[in-house]
Amino acid sequence: MAIYIDSESEENYLETILILSTISPFVRGVDIASKLNISRPSVSRAVGLLRDKGLVILEKGAFITLTEEGKRIARKVASYHRVLRSFLVHVAGISQEKADIDACRIEHVVSASTIQGIKSFLKRENVLPGNTIDSSHLPEIRELNESGENYIEHIYMMTQDGKRVRSTDLAKTLEVSRASISRAMDVLCHLGLLERGEKGELILTPAGEEKARGIYARHVVLTGFLEKILGVSPKIAEKDACRIEHMLSEETFNGIRAFWEKHQESS
């Protein structure tokens, strides 16, 4: 059976090893498992993949150290985490513990341009990012993943002018294969979010439309926030909003939306 960890999980492992190495120079698999609250066999498999990619070294078969490339990636992720945590605490008004979790979710997908915009924003607000982090979290498993949310959001947007949307239209818009679309539509139908019409058109159920409206509302708020508050270019703001909108907790998003609405009222 093939073993795989996605880039988000991979970066979390590297970040965790970096954090643990500041406490002790001898990092073991059991330490990583305890820190991330996962099984030791899962850690062993992941560390083996990181070793094969040249990101970690196993010394004497037990101690784990980062290679120079592993350190580079881990330090970048950790620096993003510090900036994002300070940003979320300041803007969304959430606790540092909650900000840590949400920062872990978006630190892997946000662009360098948005991070720079956040740094400039924090400087204007006289907020200094923390110097250290001591927590890392693997991504949560959710009922509907990012790609699923992206599909129903695009179906919702494409049907707003009364147009009928078929799988071929969605595949063309999202630049993915029709086979991938077909599999995803089966899952969305199974979840009760989508129905297929008599002529093959894709129809959101009331539950699907409600969920899609919520995702699209997030997109609008986050795009405006990134562009108008952080000074990110419209193209990057659109792209980063698409990535971030699926990952923020409800509490964090509501805090950002409140900040954005207050800004709009005062401008």
Side-chain angles (χ1 to χ4, degrees):
M1 179 179 175
I3 303 299
Y4 170 77
I5 56 173
D6 61 26
S7 59
E8 182 178 347
S9 297
E10 181 178 283
E11 289 183 349
N12 273 117
Y13 277 110
L14 296 174
E15 181 184 28
T16 300
I17 295 168
L18 179 67
I19 292 169
L20 291 170
S21 67
T22 64
I23 302 170
S24 169
F26 305 109
V27 178
R28 303 165 299 163
V30 64
D31 303 318
I32 299 172
S34 176
K35 191 72 171 173
L36 292 175
N37 194 29
I38 54 177
S39 69
R40 290 179 64 179
S42 295
V43 171
S44 295
R45 291 192 292 269
V47 169
L49 287 175
L50 295 175
R51 177 195 57 199
D52 293 343
K53 291 185 175 185
L55 299 175
V56 302
I57 299 171
L58 293 181
E59 298 181 354
K60 299 179 181 179
F63 300 122
I64 304 160
T65 59
L66 297 170
T67 63
E68 288 305 312
E69 178 61 10
K71 288 178 184 177
R72 184 191 68 78
I73 296 172
R75 287 168 178 162
K76 185 203 79 170
V77 176
S79 70
Y80 278 21
H81 185 121
R82 291 191 294 270
V83 170
L84 288 166
R85 180 182 60 191
S86 295
F87 170 73
L88 293 175
V89 169
H90 180 69
V91 170
I94 58 176
S95 68
Q96 182 163 296
E97 291 74 20
K98 186 66 179 175
D100 264 324
I101 294 173
D102 275 16
C104 273
R105 298 193 68 186
I106 64 178
E107 65 196 11
H108 314 283
V109 300
V110 70
S111 69
S113 295
T114 291
I115 289 294
Q116 186 55 52
I118 291 174
K119 286 180 178 179
S120 298
F121 169 81
L122 292 178
K123 186 175 182 180
R124 293 195 302 271
E125 296 283 306
N126 294 316
V127 177
L128 295 176
N131 293 321
T132 60
I133 58 172
D134 58 12
S135 65
S136 184
H137 307 268
L138 285 175
E140 299 172 1
I141 298 175
R142 297 176 297 156
E143 180 182 32
L144 186 61
N145 62 17
E146 178 182 350
S147 60
E149 291 186 349
N150 202 31
Y151 285 131
I152 63 172
E153 180 186 15
H154 275 81
I155 294 170
Y156 173 77
M157 291 189 294
M158 294 168 71
T159 56
Q160 289 310 290
D161 58 359
K163 176 184 175 182
R164 292 183 177 181
V165 178
R166 293 178 174 82
S167 294
T168 53
D169 304 317
L170 196 58
K172 184 177 180 180
T173 298
L174 295 175
E175 298 181 343
V176 297
S177 69
R178 290 179 63 180
S180 297
I181 292 289
S182 180
R183 289 192 296 270
M185 297 307 100
D186 287 343
V187 172
L188 293 174
C189 286
H190 177 72
L191 291 174
L193 301 174
L194 185 73
E195 295 175 347
R196 288 188 174 93
E198 293 181 359
K199 296 183 179 180
E201 65 268 29
L202 305 174
I203 304 169
L204 293 173
T205 64
E209 185 166 346
E210 181 181 1
K211 192 165 192 66
R213 277 200 305 267
I215 298 165
Y216 183 64
R218 283 183 168 226
H219 182 87
V220 171
V221 169
L222 292 170
T223 300
F225 188 98
L226 294 173
E227 185 178 348
K228 303 301 182 182
I229 303 292
L230 302 184
V232 177
S233 72
K235 184 177 181 180
I236 294 178
E238 187 83 21
K239 188 175 182 179
D240 273 12
C242 274
R243 293 167 169 171
I244 297 170
E245 66 196 27
H246 310 287
M247 299 181 174
L248 290 176
S249 66
E250 198 68 25
E251 181 184 356
T252 299
F253 172 72
N254 286 338
I256 292 174
R257 180 173 58 186
F259 187 99
W260 170 238
E261 290 174 348
K262 184 177 180 181
H263 170 80
Q264 286 185 301
E265 291 172 0
S266 62
S267 60

